[in-house]
Amino acid sequence: GQNIDQPTEMTATEGAIVQINCTYQTSGFNGLFWYQQHAGEAPTFLSYNVLDGLEEKGRFSSFLSRSKGYSYLLLKELQMKDSASYLCGVMDSNYQLIWGAGTKLIIKP
Amino acid sequence: GAVVSQHPSWVICKSGTSVKIECRSLDFQATTMFWYRQFPKQSLMLMATSNEGSKATYEQGVEKDKFLINHASLTLSTLTVTSAHPEDSSFYICSARELRDSGEAFFGQGTRLTVV
């Protein structure tokens, strides 16, 4: 079966760095997405990785290792507004998006 | 990024009535649109995938006669919840992709449906 695993909840301190991991087992691979979702709102796009390596976008970076079925989202200089759920999604061989359950990130002052 | 507009943002309806949710791509042509629902504290659940001009492909367990999806143009898809019941209350989200088989998907703002 297809499976996406990410931690349920993480806590970090304002100004610090946090890494949210995602492992996946899917039928084929056509890219991995990270989305941010604040409570009650739709997800917003953060990153898309299809090749191995690190993609950096400002305070957020995303890493992919296809051979390991592994990705992480790295958030630097954490701000209170970064408190949200972070969703990892993988596009399989049929171009269907398979979603993880999301990681709730709690930022403390 | 590209803009996907979903309307309405929230709606309250009576049991037994139907509700239509619209999803529009504002600055690109969406060959493929996805409809999701999300229950509280749960992940997004794909309901169906529609390619412009074709019938939607529904995920297992999703009643196609209850959740009618129309994708008649490259910029508009609609989801109609027919004969709504309280258990249909949920957050419905659409996403649109320019290409049929690849690329980033952009999400609408979501619609919170409450059936009373």
Side-chain angles (χ1 to χ4, degrees), chain A residues 15-19 54 56 58-61 73-79 82:
Chain A
I17 299 173
V18 71
Q19 178 174 310
L54 185 69
E56 297 187 75
R59 294 190 299 117
F60 293 4
S61 303
L73 179 69
L74 190 71
L75 293 78
K76 303 176 184 177
E77 301 170 17
L78 286 170
Q79 301 175 9
D82 297 329

Side-chain angles (χ1 to χ4, degrees), chain A residues 26-61:
Chain A
T26 57
S27 302
F29 179 83
N30 279 299
L32 184 145
F33 296 85
W34 282 98
Y35 279 83
Q36 180 192 61
Q37 185 179 27
H38 287 99
E41 299 178 12
T44 53
F45 172 80
L46 292 178
S47 67
Y48 172 64
N49 294 64
V50 66
L51 299 176
D52 290 348
L54 185 69
E55 298 263 350
E56 297 187 75
K57 270 188 184 180
R59 294 190 299 117
F60 293 4
S61 303

